[in-house]
Amino acid sequence: MDAPTVKIRPKEILRRRNRRLALVALILVAATLAYGGYWWYYARFWVWTDNAFIAGNLVTLEAQATGIITQVLVEETQYVEKGDLLIRLDEHQAQAKLGRMRGLLGGEVRRIASLFAQRRQIQQKFTSRMARLDLIRHDVVRFREALPSGAISEQLFQNALDKMRALQAEVMEIREEYQSITAEVGGVNIIHHPAVEAAKHEFITAYLEYIRQRIRAPASGHVAKRKAQVGDQVHPGVPLMTIVPLDHLWVEVNLRETEMQQVRPGQSALINVDVYGKHHTYHGTVEGLVPGTGSVFALLPPENATGNFIHIVERVPVRVSFLKEEILEHPVRPGLSTKTYINVSEPGYPLGVSLAETSTQEYETNIYANELTDAESLAQEIIRENLVLKQDRPEPA
């Protein structure tokens, strides 16, 4: 039995193809119009990039004194408050040096007090010699008047004259001695004598060395990159750990230079952090534009005048702030990747304006504020203890 024949209708096939092509064209036109509308009413007002990372203040804790670590009190990821004790160093050597400086300060006070006493002694000796000199001068005058009448012998007159000259020489010697010691102690009191001041500040230095054997947190934050180990010998400048405050972070957005025409400080921004994805959007503000591209701040900046120039589009870092309450509700960490969108339809501020502030707690620490005051108070106490003569003691305030 013969198979049924299929009748080919070219016009039907052509119509079917035209309908499909029209549908595809309609879809493309609709997509183009939709994207055009999206770009015209929304996208053209935003600049965005995924070359953006969270940054923050990484407070490096360094040793401020020489010593051996005897105790580490914190570990990575722990939260510490400003002023908390983090590391102890062996205090024995610093304590011995502090005791030696205490003794030197006391000894210097007593030495200078002795010079003041010597000056008073010389002054009394000068007064005594001047009284004797005045007496012998009167005798010489009387003897000179009585000599012509024979009331006294010439020998007696000559002896009085020699004694007067000897006393005059002694007075001159005592005057020079007085001037010499006055050059050492004149114009100041014992407490403010340069030698005592020098010894006092040597003591203060030793006190600071001793007190900084206990290393405290300069700011509140989480501990990271702990390098300190018990038994390590450290000296000033050796990094021990890093403290990361997580309540003040910002985004470093690296935009192409071709996208920078309308970016201004003060414009609002939307931030999606990869760790949360699209589930949470942070709100921020452009705080300022870094005055240079990343290449000029590189360790080896490019030398474009060498002849090996290749034109590439540079990126300019833009600082975008977070809202503090948002990062406290949804914590983030420095170094996380983000997608950041900047609303360039807002006017913002001139390019030279910066909205960045240094008002948060990691920009200032007061944990060392009382050290110098305490050292000064202790030094003054040592000075008073070694002023053994009543006339050398300062009057009470």
Side-chain angles (χ1 to χ4, degrees):
M1 186 176 180
D2 295 336
T5 59
V6 178
K7 188 174 182 179
I8 300 176
R9 297 184 176 89
K11 293 183 179 180
E12 180 67 25
I13 295 175
L14 184 61
R15 283 195 299 270
R16 188 183 304 170
R17 185 187 66 180
N18 291 338
R19 285 196 301 269
R20 291 175 179 175
L21 289 176
L23 180 62
V24 171
L26 182 62
I27 292 174
L28 289 176
V29 170
T32 301
L33 291 175
Y35 178 77
Y38 167 76
W39 180 86
W40 180 260
Y41 291 104
Y42 184 79
R44 71 189 180 102
F45 301 120
W46 294 83
V47 171
W48 77 277
T49 182
D50 57 2
N51 188 346
F53 305 92
I54 297 176
N57 288 302
L58 308 181
V59 183
T60 301
L61 182 67
E62 298 181 346
Q64 300 140 1
T66 300
I68 299 173
I69 296 177
T70 58
Q71 188 178 16
V72 179
L73 299 171
V74 293
E75 187 50 275
E76 290 191 13
T77 72
Q78 286 185 334
Y79 181 81
V80 296
E81 292 283 354
K82 180 187 293 187
D84 285 353
L85 181 61
L86 306 183
I87 295 174
R88 293 179 186 267
L89 303 182
D90 177 31
E91 299 176 353
H92 295 163
Q93 188 172 356
Q95 192 171 17
K97 182 179 179 181
L98 180 63
R100 185 169 68 254
M101 292 299 106
R102 182 188 186 104
L104 290 176
L105 175 58
E108 198 64 25
V109 171
R110 290 173 179 264
R111 185 182 72 83
I112 299 302
S114 175
L115 291 179
F116 275 86
Q118 289 179 27
R119 187 174 72 160
R120 288 192 296 269
Q121 182 181 10
I122 293 171
Q123 193 172 14
Q124 294 297 328
K125 186 188 294 185
F126 179 78
T127 303
S128 173
R129 293 294 190 276
M130 284 299 297
R132 292 172 59 185
L133 179 59
D134 289 341
L135 179 62
I136 199 64
R137 281 174 176 169
H138 295 156
D139 289 343
V140 168
V141 171
R142 288 196 303 271
F143 290 165
R144 182 178 285 115
E145 293 175 351
L147 184 62
S149 63
I152 63 167
S153 64
E154 187 174 348
Q155 182 63 40
L156 184 60
F157 172 72
Q158 186 64 42
N159 289 343
L161 193 60
D162 292 340
K163 190 174 183 180
M164 183 185 70
R165 290 171 179 168
L167 283 173
Q168 286 176 336
E170 286 186 27
V171 168
M172 291 296 297
E173 183 180 359
I174 293 171
R175 182 181 286 116
E176 292 297 329
E177 187 177 353
Y178 179 80
Q179 291 178 350
S180 175
I181 201 168
T182 299
E184 288 193 66
V185 299
V188 294
N189 56 24
I190 297 175
I191 296 178
H192 297 100
H193 191 276
V196 174
E197 286 284 339
K200 183 182 75 172
H201 285 89
E202 288 289 340
F203 171 81
I204 290 174
T205 301
Y207 177 84
L208 295 178
E209 178 84 10
Y210 169 73
I211 204 69
R212 290 182 181 179
Q213 300 293 309
R214 300 183 179 187
I215 302 175
R216 301 183 181 275
S220 301
H222 290 78
V223 175
K225 303 295 289 182
R226 179 182 68 82
K227 299 179 181 179
Q229 298 288 351
V230 171
D232 286 350
Q233 173 79 34
V234 299
H235 53 82
V238 172
L240 302 174
M241 62 183 67
T242 301
I243 298 175
V244 185
L246 296 181
D247 57 350
H248 178 217
L249 301 172
W250 61 90
V251 181
E252 187 174 291
V253 183
N254 301 299
L255 294 176
R256 295 182 181 90
E257 57 184 310
T258 54
E259 301 171 330
M260 296 294 298
Q261 295 93 338
Q262 301 179 64
V263 177
R264 297 291 184 274
Q267 293 172 339
S268 61
L270 300 177
I271 306 161
N272 291 120
V273 183
D274 287 359
V275 69
Y276 295 110
K278 295 289 186 178
H279 299 292
H280 183 74
T281 299
Y282 296 87
H283 299 80
T285 303
V286 176
E287 290 189 327
L289 283 66
V290 175
T293 65
S295 60
V296 298
F297 296 112
L299 182 62
L300 297 174
E303 292 288 346
N304 293 329
T306 58
N308 299 321
F309 171 70
I310 300 176
H311 180 79
I312 58 174
V313 177
E314 297 286 347
R315 290 184 179 266
V316 179
V318 177
R319 179 177 171 128
V320 176
S321 66
F322 279 105
L323 291 178
K324 183 177 180 179
E325 54 270 20
E326 289 188 348
I327 60 176
L328 290 179
E329 184 179 354
H330 295 84
V332 289
R333 300 287 190 272
L336 295 181
S337 300
T338 76
K339 290 182 180 179
T340 303
Y341 305 80
I342 298 175
N343 188 353
V344 295
S345 66
E346 299 175 357
Y349 296 95
L351 285 175
V353 174
S354 175
L355 304 181
E357 297 180 349
T358 58
S359 57
T360 52
Q361 57 94 18
E362 69 270 22
Y363 289 99
E364 181 181 7
T365 186
N366 57 2
I367 65 170
Y368 310 112
N370 296 326
E371 291 182 349
L372 189 59
T373 303
D374 294 343
E376 181 76 27
S377 177
L378 186 55
Q380 293 296 338
E381 182 181 344
I382 296 171
I383 292 173
R384 287 193 298 269
E385 289 174 352
N386 287 276
L387 291 175
V388 294
L389 298 179
K390 185 176 181 181
Q391 61 266 32
D392 291 334
R393 295 180 179 274
E395 294 295 330

